[in-house]
Amino acid sequence: MKKFALSLFLLTSSAFLAACGSDEPASGGGADGVEEMTIKFSHVVAENTPKHQGALAMKEYIESESGGKIEVEIYPNSSLFGDQDEYQNLVSNNVQFIAPDLTKFVGNNPQFNVPALPFMFENDEEAIAFWDGEKGQEILSSLEGDGVLGLKMWPNGGKHLTNNERPIESPDDLKGLKFRTQGGQVLEALYSELGAGSESIPFSELYTALDQGVVDGQENTFSNIESKKFDEVQKYMTVMNHTRVDYAVFTNTEFWEGMNAETKEIVEAGLEEGTKVAREEAINLNKEAYDLIKERGETEITELTPEQIEEFRTALEPIYDEFEDEIGADVYEAARAAAGQ
Ligand code: LMR
């Protein structure tokens, strides 16, 4: 009997020591000390997008590593909150994560206009280098007064123009047309510089606005155009890559600081996992979406020559002077450095 008790003691203590020595986060029902909770992640785009895939990866990681103690509910397609109310609901902690297009935050800080600076970044890598860098991080931290933390930048990609009136090949082709924008002073100025009008419309209302001719066109990533089928209601698309959709995952500070160490470790690692997937999928899904748009053949596609792109770049150059004071020469400098300019 004594012998049995001793071997039981040795067995359980060696299992205990093995668990303590492991660097792996607690998983599969272990998860000692992890708080039981439900976390909500709300966004406005479709499921087959980099943002949703990133959120899914986060969910899978957190749920599995917490042994089911943490549940992550994802609400895509503005099904919980949309462009108009997601920020306010994050401030109120009714939702714990949102990942909005950064240009939708320009009302809080004009430096969120960076993704709208014409032809600043050529690809995701350059945009990521900016937002992961010192200036980018400083901008993401600028909502702390509202009790909101900017955690990680997730890219979507370059935006392209669609419209219902004519093929767009030169700056003059935009004259007199009206475009929907995500919002912000820079996008508005960009269209007025080209003799066009603009209106900011929530993403959830965009398909109908295009279909009913409230606006003639819009700018978006291939992924958003394809997944929301904007090509069904737009006769022309010009591959421009002139501005970008870039997101950051934002959280409520009180929620974030309120988690105990074991819980936060899992959630933070989940965010890292989501970031990896969102960044990979931004490239994959935009490529796939462009092929799908071509295959569907609903919209006539114009691919600009380098000379034509140069015409747009020159026409939009005054935007930089116009916004230098508001956005900051230091931000321009950091963005140019990230872009290798
Ligand atoms: C849009 O409103 O067009 C996009 O910013 C939506 C999104 O979140 O990608």
Side-chain angles (χ1 to χ4, degrees):
M1 190 65 195
K2 259 189 190 157
K3 216 169 166 187
F4 173 73
L6 181 68
S7 30
L8 190 67
F9 169 75
L10 287 174
L11 199 72
T12 45
S13 48
S14 59
F16 174 73
L17 286 173
C20 288
S22 162
D23 283 330
E24 297 292 314
S27 71
D32 286 343
V34 174
E35 298 158 83
E36 282 194 30
M37 62 170 78
T38 301
I39 296 173
K40 293 188 168 79
F41 190 138
S42 170
H43 69 80
V44 302
V45 293
E47 281 95 335
N48 52 332
T49 55
K51 182 155 51 183
H52 190 77
Q53 294 308 312
L56 262 187
M58 225 174 129
K59 170 185 169 72
E60 278 161 19
Y61 183 95
I62 293 172
E63 289 185 346
S64 129
E65 295 302 319
S66 69
K69 285 189 174 169
I70 311 176
E71 199 185 329
V72 181
E73 294 175 352
I74 308 175
Y75 297 88
N77 295 307
S78 313
S79 55
L80 184 63
F81 302 119
D83 283 330
Q84 310 95 311
D85 56 359
E86 64 178 10
Y87 187 69
Q88 215 34 57
N89 278 288
L90 183 71
V91 170
S92 313
N93 203 19
N94 294 330
V95 60
Q96 286 67 47
F97 291 111
I98 60 172
D101 180 333
L102 293 170
T103 56
K104 291 177 183 166
F105 279 180
V106 294
N108 304 62
N109 175 359
Q111 295 177 322
F112 282 114
N113 272 304
V114 167
L117 290 171
F119 300 105
M120 176 60 90
F121 302 119
E122 213 164 310
N123 51 43
D124 294 359
E125 213 180 311
E126 295 178 358
I128 291 170
F130 173 75
W131 290 105
D132 281 359
E134 200 184 322
K135 270 290 153 219
Q137 292 294 301
E138 209 179 285
I139 301 172
L140 292 187
S141 306
S142 64
L143 304 173
E144 280 173 18
D146 288 347
V148 168
L149 282 178
L151 297 170
K152 279 278 173 187
M153 178 272 203
W154 288 5
N156 184 324
K159 287 194 269 185
H160 312 285
L161 274 186
T162 67
N163 87 96
N164 246 337
E165 287 302 311
R166 51 186 170 259
I168 293 196
E169 294 169 353
S170 79
D172 276 351
D173 294 329
L174 276 89
K175 284 210 166 90
L177 302 185
K178 189 172 177 193
F179 288 83
R180 174 266 180 179
T181 72
Q182 284 81 0
Q185 309 90 327
V186 173
L187 288 177
E188 195 184 322
L190 184 150
Y191 284 104
S192 81
E193 193 65 42
L194 302 177
S198 66
E199 185 180 335
S200 144
I201 296 174
F203 190 62
S204 58
E205 294 167 24
L206 182 50
Y207 183 97
T208 310
L210 295 170
D211 193 27
Q212 295 181 349
V214 176
V215 284
D216 300 302
Q218 61 94 42
E219 56 173 73
N220 233 310
T221 62
F222 293 133
S223 166
N224 280 346
I225 294 169
E226 190 282 322
S227 58
K228 287 294 179 189
K229 305 207 165 18
F230 297 147
D231 53 322
E232 270 180 10
V233 287
Q234 295 278 269
K235 293 196 187 102
Y236 308 99
M237 179 171 87
T238 299
V239 178
M240 289 267 286
N241 199 27
H242 59 304
T243 52
R244 294 184 51 83
V245 170
D246 285 319
Y247 314 116
V249 178
F250 289 92
T251 193
N252 178 289
T253 316
E254 224 177 283
F255 154 74
W256 190 253
E257 305 298 346
M259 285 183 280
N260 69 22
E262 292 85 346
T263 310
K264 197 166 175 192
E265 191 185 331
I266 292 176
V267 176
E268 266 182 325
L271 175 66
E272 286 302 323
E273 190 58 27
T275 302
K276 202 173 98 216
V277 169
R279 290 179 177 188
E280 282 164 9
E281 289 304 321
I283 295 171
N284 298 338
L285 291 177
N286 274 296
K287 269 199 196 120
E288 251 171 53
Y290 188 32
D291 289 343
L292 277 169
I293 295 169
K294 283 193 224 168
E295 237 169 71
R296 283 209 288 254
E298 296 271 3
T299 191
E300 185 185 311
I301 300 174
T302 302
E303 287 187 2
L304 300 176
T305 63
E307 292 75 28
Q308 287 172 317
I309 297 264
E310 211 39 51
E311 263 192 79
F312 279 100
R313 192 191 295 274
T314 309
L316 293 172
E317 201 51 46
I319 300 287
Y320 281 89
D321 282 345
E322 196 178 332
F323 288 94
E324 182 160 345
D325 287 345
E326 222 173 319
I327 297 175
D330 54 338
V331 173
Y332 281 4
E333 198 184 314
R336 286 186 176 124
Q341 294 171 23

